[in-house]
């Protein structure tokens, strides 16, 4: 996926929304900037398929040598897929954050949270201020 | 980075080397240049240089300097020969640890002898106040806070002495562990101390602030073929944790005494008096207080400071202590931690558990240090 086409949370998750069989499907990951800031990832906790997520609420966590960071969902919905290979291959998050590094897929029940997300330009601006 | 943070003489040098700067004890310091794990491994396998200029450097001169320091430190200063360095503690009247320090007895090229006390950055103001409070009238003690006028650079790793050697007028290998000398580095005054905080061989250099950038550039050049690189405070923390060394504010504070921290060796009660001695003499005989232990934890999740240590990995197990520092050990590739636990559960091999954000993960008390270098 092209990072320019994605939406971003202030907390560095990215989301890609596609139509699939009448429902909206969100693919969620974390940005290259976030992975770079975390560095030295050591652990990742993922949710189960079938679980519910809520916009602004944590659905998992990623941990580096230094600190733990919750992963926040940008939308409400049901988890339909989890990239369960990630915890054993944390390097994927850094090497390919926007494709192989996807974290969960969610069937959206309420997409009103999407309106609060940043586009690529706005997100880049935020990263420049943080970095 | 907010501008009210203090900067070391190497601040611009860090930015030039793409360091990520963080607030550490009121100082803007590099936490890492590339990555904590990379810099950790470089220190264990080759050598790295650290800016530790934020640490306080206090110089003591005068007839009574030795007698005064002897009053303040838990180990004797009066028998510290010129050229020797000693790890010691400063305690309050109740035996609580005010700071852990290095005291060196040095002689400058013009023959003047003095003591150098290196204190933790976060404790410098407190220790300056403590010293001021205890400096009695009539004593010939002159103290100079040399922190701002000097820089301190640690060079650590199995190749550290080899990397430093071309820059110094003395062979650093001729210095024994925990000794120091005043010499020159390419013409500039330089104190070399065979000490460190990583569990590796190496030394620490103290140079004038205006010489710090040149010294670091010279080190990178002299050590290029040895694989030297700059390292930040992030890996300094993981390195000292593997080496089982306490860090003030984590394993040490004013509510803990040296015996709890496993630092009884750094208290000398014999035939001497110092602030805290009476309390420590009693504490050395008393038990019952939580003690510092090393923990190895199952799985891959590091235990963090403040996490509860429990008697067993079962729901409802009693809390028996708490984690003071933890990380995933880059050398051992498993989670390690230090914790304060009830003394009855502190024996090596004791099975405990750590509450990692709601999940009780099995852990075992292990011998400190976690890592010992092979030579």
């Amino acid at each position: 996926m092209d990072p320019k086409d994605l939406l971003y949370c202030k907390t560095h998750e990215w989301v890609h929304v596609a139509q699939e069989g009448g429902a909206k499907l969100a693919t969620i990951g974390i940005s290259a900037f976030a992975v770079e800031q975390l560095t030295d990832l050591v652990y990742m906790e993922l949710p189960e398929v079938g679980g519910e997520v809520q916009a602004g609420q944590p659905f998992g966590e990623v941990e580096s040598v230094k600190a733990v960071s919750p992963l926040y969902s940008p939308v409400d919905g049901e988890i339909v897929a989890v990239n369960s290979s990630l915890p054993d291959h944390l390097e994927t998050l850094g090497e390919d954050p926007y494709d192989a590094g996807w974290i969960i897929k969610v069937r959206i029940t309420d997409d009103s949270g999407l309106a609060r997300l940043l586009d690529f330009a706005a997100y880049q601006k935020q990263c420049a201020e943080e970095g | 980075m907010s501008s009210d943070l203090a900067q070391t003489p190497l601040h611009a040098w860090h930015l030039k080397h793409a360091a990520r700067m963080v607030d550490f004890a009121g100082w803007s310091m590099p936490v890492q240049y590339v990555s904590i794990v990379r810099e950790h491994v470089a220190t264990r396998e080759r050598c790295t240089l650290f800016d530790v200029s934020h640490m306080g450097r206090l110089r003591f001169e005068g007839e009574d300097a030795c007698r005064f320091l002897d009053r303040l430190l838990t180990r004797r200063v009066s028998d510290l020969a010129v050229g020797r360095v000693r790890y010691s503690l400063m305690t309050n009247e109740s035996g609580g640890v005010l700071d852990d320090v290095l005291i060196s007895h040095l002689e400058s090229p013009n023959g003047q002898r003095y003591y150098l006390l290196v204190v933790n950055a976060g404790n410098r103001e407190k220790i300056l106040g403590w010293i001021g409070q205890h400096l009695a009238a009539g004593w010939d003690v002159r103290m100079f806070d040399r922190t701002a006028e000097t820089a301190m650079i640690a060079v650590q790793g199995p190749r550290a002495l080899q990397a430093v050697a071309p820059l110094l007028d003395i062979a650093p290998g001729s210095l024994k562990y925990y000794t120091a000398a005043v010499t020159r580095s390419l013409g500039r005054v330089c104190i070399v101390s065979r000490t460190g905080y990583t569990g590796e061989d190496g030394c620490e250099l103290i140079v004038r602030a205006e010489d710090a950038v040149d010294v670091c550039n010279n080190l990178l050049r002299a050590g290029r073929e040895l694989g030297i690189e700059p390292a930040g405070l992030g890996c300094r923390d993981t390195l000292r944790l593997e080496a089982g060394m306490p860090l003030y504010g984590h394993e040490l504070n004013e509510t803990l005494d040296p015996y709890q921290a496993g630092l009884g060796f750094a208290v000398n009660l014999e035939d001497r008096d110092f602030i805290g001695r009476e309390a420590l003499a009693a504490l050395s005989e008393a038990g019952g207080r939580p003690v510092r232990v090393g923990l190895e934890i199952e799985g891959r999740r590091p235990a963090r400071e403040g996490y509860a240590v429990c008697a067993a990995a079962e729901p409802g197990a009693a809390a028996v202590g708490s984690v003071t520092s933890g990380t995933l050990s880059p050398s051992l590739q498993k989670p390690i931690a230090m914790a304060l636990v009830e003394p009855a559960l502190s024996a090596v091999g004791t099975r405990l558990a750590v509450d990692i954000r709601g999940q009780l993960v099995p852990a075992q008390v292990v011998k400190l240090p976690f890592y010992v270098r092979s030579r």
Side-chain angles (χ1 to χ4, degrees):
Chain A
M1 270 177 264
D2 187 337
K4 291 192 193 64
D5 299 336
L6 304 172
L7 293 172
Y8 297 86
C9 302
K10 288 192 170 115
T11 48
H12 303 288
E13 294 82 5
W14 57 258
V15 56
H16 175 263
V17 181
Q19 286 290 338
E20 199 173 278
K24 278 185 174 174
L25 186 75
T27 304
I28 298 163
I30 53 173
S31 74
F33 177 83
V35 176
E36 195 202 309
Q37 289 293 305
L38 288 164
T39 66
D40 300 323
L41 298 177
V42 298
Y43 182 80
M44 191 171 195
E45 178 99 337
L46 293 176
E48 306 267 332
V49 170
E52 301 277 320
V53 292
Q54 279 190 321
Q57 294 298 310
F59 64 82
E61 63 187 34
V62 62
E63 184 157 15
S64 72
V65 166
K66 259 321 226 195
V68 188
S69 302
L71 299 165
Y72 294 100
S73 176
V75 294
D76 287 8
E78 183 197 341
I79 299 166
V80 295
V82 171
N83 190 349
S84 53
S85 70
L86 279 181
D88 292 326
H89 299 279
L90 290 168
E91 67 281 1
T92 308
L93 286 170
E95 289 163 3
D96 195 7
Y98 303 110
D99 286 297
W102 68 273
I103 300 172
I104 57 170
K105 297 188 185 194
V106 172
R107 188 180 296 118
I108 300 177
T109 53
D110 181 352
D111 67 358
S112 58
L114 293 176
R116 292 193 294 274
L117 300 183
L118 308 172
D119 64 14
F120 181 67
Y123 177 65
Q124 273 208 311
K125 187 162 169 279
Q126 182 195 311
C127 292
E129 284 162 8
E130 281 182 28
Chain B
M1 186 72 51
S2 105
S3 57
D4 53 6
L5 293 177
Q7 296 181 356
T8 77
L10 288 161
H11 189 78
W13 190 88
H14 298 315
L15 298 180
K16 200 180 130 212
H17 287 85
R20 186 179 301 167
M21 306 301 285
V22 296
D23 175 358
F24 183 85
W27 291 78
S28 172
M29 296 300 293
V31 65
Q32 64 183 54
Y33 298 83
V34 181
S35 103
I36 291 172
V37 171
R38 179 198 160 110
E39 292 157 28
H40 181 111
V41 171
T43 311
R44 290 272 180 255
E45 293 181 353
R46 302 186 301 278
C47 56
T48 52
L49 70 91
F50 299 80
D51 179 10
V52 290
S53 305
H54 59 309
M55 301 194 76
R57 290 171 295 285
L58 313 178
R59 175 175 169 144
F60 292 82
E61 297 172 7
E63 283 291 310
D64 299 314
C66 171
R67 188 154 69 102
F68 177 64
L69 289 165
D70 224 24
R71 287 266 315 141
L72 257 49
L73 299 185
T74 54
R75 289 172 98 180
R76 210 184 292 276
V77 179
S78 54
D79 66 350
L80 190 67
V82 171
R84 299 296 292 269
V85 185
R86 195 167 276 168
Y87 177 77
S88 186
L89 304 168
M90 293 175 80
T91 49
N92 57 27
E93 285 83 355
S94 48
V97 179
L98 291 166
D99 201 7
D100 65 333
V101 301
L102 286 185
I103 182 77
S104 307
H105 194 186
L106 295 167
E107 183 176 289
S108 46
N110 66 13
Q112 195 193 10
R113 291 183 175 181
Y114 61 96
Y115 291 93
L116 181 71
L117 184 73
V118 176
V119 304
N120 279 295
N123 289 334
R124 182 169 132 245
E125 294 295 335
K126 177 178 80 177
I127 295 302
L128 285 171
W130 183 255
I131 287 165
Q133 192 184 325
H134 290 277
L135 206 46
W139 284 41
D140 176 24
V141 180
R142 296 181 301 282
M143 192 208 70
F144 305 91
D145 183 352
R146 299 283 293 153
T147 312
E149 289 81 25
T150 58
M152 188 160 164
I153 301 149
V155 189
Q156 300 281 298
R159 298 179 189 170
L161 297 185
Q162 209 184 330
V164 175
L167 305 184
L168 300 177
D169 283 5
I170 60 162
S174 69
L175 289 174
K176 291 202 177 80
Y177 197 51
Y178 270 69
T179 66
V182 184
T183 180
R184 289 186 164 267
S185 171
L186 304 181
R188 288 87 180 261
V189 181
C190 176
I191 298 169
V192 189
S193 172
R194 185 118 181 238
T195 48
Y197 192 52
T198 60
E200 292 301 326
D201 196 1
C203 62
E204 293 171 303
L205 310 176
I206 298 174
V207 298
R208 289 188 303 224
E210 60 268 31
D211 295 334
V213 166
D214 284 347
V215 168
C216 284
N217 287 338
N218 289 336
L219 275 168
L220 287 192
R221 214 167 294 137
R224 185 177 295 153
E225 276 162 26
L226 301 170
I228 198 170
E229 53 183 272
L233 295 187
C235 77
R236 192 168 150 87
D237 190 43
T238 54
L239 289 160
R240 70 93 196 166
L241 218 170
E242 286 186 347
M245 295 168 169
L247 174 60
Y248 199 90
H250 300 263
E251 286 74 36
L252 297 171
N253 64 54
E254 288 178 37
T255 72
L256 297 172
D257 65 74
Y259 301 105
Q260 291 180 270
L263 299 179
F265 74 90
V267 179
N268 182 352
L269 299 169
E270 299 301 315
D271 306 321
R272 60 186 298 264
D273 194 21
F274 59 91
I275 299 165
R277 189 199 173 278
E278 206 174 316
L280 290 172
L283 287 166
S284 71
E285 306 284 329
R289 310 181 306 286
V291 293
R292 175 168 70 109
V293 297
L295 294 177
E296 245 177 49
I297 299 152
E298 286 185 10
R300 293 282 295 173
R301 300 171 89 184
R304 305 285 176 185
E305 182 177 6
Y307 288 8
V309 178
C310 297
E314 291 153 18
V320 295
S322 73
V323 172
T324 51
S325 297
T327 193
L328 184 89
S329 162
S331 301
L332 308 176
Q333 281 300 310
K334 49 187 159 190
I336 57 170
M338 292 199 264
L340 286 165
V341 303
E342 287 174 12
L345 297 169
S346 64
V348 168
T350 306
R351 303 208 144 268
L352 299 169
V354 179
D355 184 342
I356 300 182
R357 300 190 290 291
Q359 195 189 338
L360 283 173
V361 181
Q364 188 171 358
V365 177
V366 296
K367 200 166 150 281
L368 289 173
F370 300 100
Y371 166 90
V372 185
R373 71 186 147 104
S374 50
R375 54 195 145 142

